[in-house]
Amino acid sequence: MTAYLIRRVLLLVPTLFVIMLINFVILQFLPGGPVEQIIAELTGTGSDITQRVTRDGGEVSTPSGGTGGGTGGGGPRGDYRGAQGLDPAFIADLERQFGLDKPMGERFLTMIGNYLMFDFGESFFRDRPVVDLILDKMPVSVSLGIWSTLLIYLISIPLGIAKAVRDGESFDAWTSALVVVGTAIPGFLFAVFLLVLFAGGQYLDWFPLRGLVSDNWEQLSLVDKVLDYLWHLVLPVLALSIGGFAALTMLTKNSFMDQINQQYVVTARAKGLTERRVLYGHVFRNAMLIVIAGFPGQLIGMLFTGSVLIEVIFSLDGLGLLGFEAVFQRDYPIVLGTLYVFTLLGLVMGIVTDLVYTLVDPRIDFESRG
């Protein structure tokens, strides 16, 4: 197992390198780069997102790029009408400040060297290091991701087992209909429904409307802080989890049904073991292998890709909203910095999955596969 883990860790480096290279090259050909964003802002044609972020994060006329190796696309093209009438020396100075005056290969190698030290440079428009921005937004996304994933697994696994045991009965039928309906409801629409119904809309005022904690959170006792934090999480976690139950529930059910029909289960029952002992002492370990395989992807998806609209609706300033605004604003240090973190976490979680496999079933030997 040790040799296998070493190979996986060594493979992580070129995989991460190729992913960053592909995305870096793609950014070079996107229209509306950071220099164009600055020019659009100066000429009064910038987007609402650009205007809002630049007002909150700093002066658009003095970008602070360069420490991240000049990530992102090139400057304004010759046919960009917004640049007409501006001093070419001014545009060249903008490109120099963003680090875009260097060759693409040099910029990429500089960026990778910095990223290996977790130096993602400074945001083009927020006048702050990207690492600080990620660390500031991380608690929101981690809270949503972990609690949503735990809720999905804590409900879907017991429900899937119960459906497998009662296959074909009325319980199986109406629970299947329920999870399918839950999957069909868009998370953002369910979030709006929860706000209207439970957060001071036209009906009940049980939960807070926005934020992860209350304004007086610092003055609360430890117990009250925990309760306040969980109180704020109820609605966004429910909204984020609504579409995740069906796939895991049906996966658990089908996995258990496949194992229940195996010969070793018939033998265990013939020995006089109770149904509970057969189910949880023999079937559970084998059936859980395929369920565990999806845990890293589920967690990463909840952490970084599934919460953008939920964060917007509940006014939660997390990584999803940060990346969303960075893409529209062409703030490439944030785009590539968050991509690097997400990709690295995903690759590491894949290795963790293999370790969990061996813990659940010691018969699995990755060395023999190698």
Side-chain angles (χ1 to χ4, degrees):
M1 187 65 182
T2 302
Y4 171 78
L5 289 178
I6 293 175
R7 291 198 301 269
R8 286 294 303 272
V9 172
L10 293 177
L11 184 62
L12 184 149
V13 176
T15 303
L16 188 60
F17 179 85
V18 171
I19 292 175
M20 295 304 299
L21 175 61
I22 292 174
N23 285 273
F24 181 86
V25 172
I26 291 175
L27 289 180
Q28 309 308 305
F29 300 98
L30 287 180
V35 176
E36 292 168 338
Q37 294 287 328
I38 292 291
I39 294 174
E41 180 68 21
L42 293 176
T43 56
T45 59
S47 65
D48 292 339
I49 291 179
T50 300
Q51 294 173 5
R52 176 163 61 87
V53 173
T54 50
R55 283 197 302 268
D56 296 340
E59 295 292 336
V60 298
S61 58
T62 56
S64 54
T67 58
T71 57
R77 295 157 181 81
D79 59 350
Y80 180 64
R81 290 181 296 175
Q84 295 178 4
L86 294 178
D87 186 358
F90 171 74
I91 298 176
D93 184 62
L94 285 178
E95 293 179 347
R96 181 188 57 78
Q97 293 184 59
F98 282 119
L100 302 176
D101 57 329
K102 302 175 182 178
M104 184 175 66
E106 180 181 347
R107 286 188 279 125
F108 176 74
L109 293 178
T110 302
M111 182 193 76
I112 290 297
N114 292 334
Y115 279 21
L116 291 177
M117 305 300 296
F118 288 93
D119 177 12
F120 304 132
E122 291 193 7
S123 166
F124 285 162
F125 301 104
R126 294 174 183 263
D127 198 26
R128 291 188 60 193
V130 175
V131 171
D132 291 347
L133 289 171
I134 292 176
L135 292 178
D136 285 348
K137 313 301 182 183
M138 186 72 77
V140 173
S141 297
V142 169
S143 296
L144 291 177
I146 289 179
W147 289 111
S148 299
T149 303
L150 288 177
L151 179 63
I152 291 172
Y153 270 74
L154 288 175
I155 293 178
S156 296
I157 290 178
L159 181 59
I161 296 174
K163 287 172 64 63
V165 174
R166 298 172 176 83
D167 182 47
E169 300 180 6
S170 59
F171 174 83
D172 182 35
W174 69 262
T175 52
S176 295
L178 190 62
V179 294
V180 168
V181 170
T183 305
I185 299 176
F188 72 91
L189 185 61
F190 189 59
V192 174
F193 169 77
L194 292 176
L195 284 177
V196 173
L197 188 60
F198 297 111
Q202 298 180 359
Y203 301 96
L204 305 173
D205 190 10
W206 290 353
F207 297 96
L209 183 63
R210 65 186 64 209
L212 196 61
V213 293
S214 299
D215 294 336
N216 64 335
W217 191 77
E218 293 293 340
Q219 286 73 43
L220 300 177
S221 65
L222 179 60
V223 175
D224 290 336
K225 285 182 178 180
V226 173
L227 293 177
D228 182 75
Y229 165 75
L230 296 176
W231 181 49
H232 281 75
L233 276 176
V234 171
L235 296 187
V237 167
L238 286 177
L240 190 58
S241 305
I242 186 66
F245 294 108
L248 185 59
T249 299
M250 299 310 297
L251 179 64
T252 304
K253 174 190 174 182
N254 293 334
S255 180
F256 265 78
M257 290 186 62
D258 179 67
Q259 294 297 321
I260 286 174
N261 296 324
Q262 297 294 324
Q263 183 62 42
Y264 74 90
V265 177
V266 177
T267 302
R269 287 171 175 166
K271 290 181 179 180
L273 297 179
T274 63
E275 190 66 21
R276 183 179 182 84
R277 178 70 181 276
V278 172
L279 191 63
Y280 292 99
H282 296 272
V283 176
F284 185 83
R285 173 177 293 181
N286 296 323
M288 281 295 98
L289 288 175
I290 191 172
V291 176
I292 291 173
F295 182 82
Q298 180 84 17
L299 179 59
I300 293 298
M302 288 293 181
L303 280 175
F304 305 122
T305 62
S307 60
V308 176
L309 291 177
I310 302 301
E311 290 179 9
V312 172
I313 292 173
F314 289 98
S315 299
L316 300 173
D317 194 9
L319 286 174
L321 184 59
L322 175 68
F324 175 78
E325 291 184 344
V327 169
F328 275 89
Q329 195 194 2
R330 301 298 192 265
D331 199 336
Y332 294 131
I334 294 180
V335 174
L336 291 171
T338 53
L339 174 67
Y340 182 86
V341 173
F342 300 164
T343 304
L344 182 60
L345 285 175
L347 294 173
V348 171
M349 289 299 292
I351 298 176
V352 172
T353 301
D354 292 343
L355 292 175
V356 175
Y357 269 132
T358 59
L359 293 176
V360 174
D361 190 349
R363 296 173 299 175
I364 295 178
D365 185 8
F366 290 104
E367 291 292 340
S368 61
R369 293 178 54 193

